[in-house]
Amino acid sequence: MAEHTESDDDADSPGPTPATASAGAGDGPVPGDPNIMTSLVRGLAVIQAFSRDTSSMTIAQISQATGIPRAAVRRCLYTLRALGFADTEDGRHYVLRPRILSLGHAYLSSIPLTRIAQPLLRRISNELNESSSIAILEDDDIVYIARASASRIMTIDLHVGSRLPAVFTSMGRVLLAHRPGDLDQRLARVVFQPFTPNTVKDAASLRGEIERVREQGYSIVDQELELGLRSIAVPIMASDGTAFAAINVGVHASRMSNQDLVSKILPLLRQAAAELSLCVG
């Protein structure tokens, strides 16, 4: 199918600096750094423009989302399509292809933690008949890097690579509790969306909860992200005392109380976290 190209009114306009074209890449590259490959930065920004809510996008929509000129977006999509990472059915709306998963797989397969953790998560999940996961902190989200699912208890289909806002999750809070140095900046960026009536409503309450998590060494989130879902998490510590990941178990609220989470699940999670800490170092 011949590729339809949209009007490239912006073709001759100066493109954004690498910092503005990084689209979700944390702090982004340093503007003006001659060693930065701008075309690669733009290509990654185009990939990151796609999401659950924007799984099909036009060149104009991607350009608006990333700040990259339409002509450059078109070239990025042409390249991604030629390599099998993207496609279009009508020449206008683009989608990512399954091959894009190979980029994430390369990262996940290089992390010893994921290979070590998966059998352990399955053991926990089988023993409790509940879902168990491991996540890391990336920007203001947690990213799932390993998961054993016993049953689906959320309307969101969680899997390896899924992202959730860190401040509203048990794993996110135990990770944030061990990063007190940048907590003020993180809290300033929080949009307090009322997912449920239980969702924490302001920065002061959230700060108090994270401080409590730091003191007790675990976090329980009780139906804040979704009604009916309770979860408990503990940090996985490195030898230098930093928390590089977190492990949790999620349950339906009708099956376990918060007290049950502490008495029945917390010891298992602490043992698993200690094993993983020893293996990873």
Side-chain angles (χ1 to χ4, degrees), residues 123-143:
R123 187 181 76 200
I124 292 174
S125 182
N126 290 337
E127 181 173 345
L128 298 172
N129 196 29
E130 305 289 356
S131 297
S132 182
S133 308
I134 291 178
I136 59 173
L137 189 66
E138 183 174 286
D139 299 329
D140 294 327
D141 294 335
I142 57 166
V143 180

Side-chain angles (χ1 to χ4, degrees), residues 15-19 21-23 29 33-48 66 68-69 71-80 83:
T17 65
S22 58
D33 187 337
N35 293 311
I36 295 295
M37 186 182 295
T38 303
S39 58
L40 178 58
V41 173
R42 286 176 168 176
L44 293 173
V46 167
I47 291 172
Q48 293 178 88
T66 62
I68 301 173
V73 171
R74 178 180 57 79
R75 290 193 296 272
C76 288
L77 289 170
Y78 181 90
T79 303
L80 290 170
L83 296 174

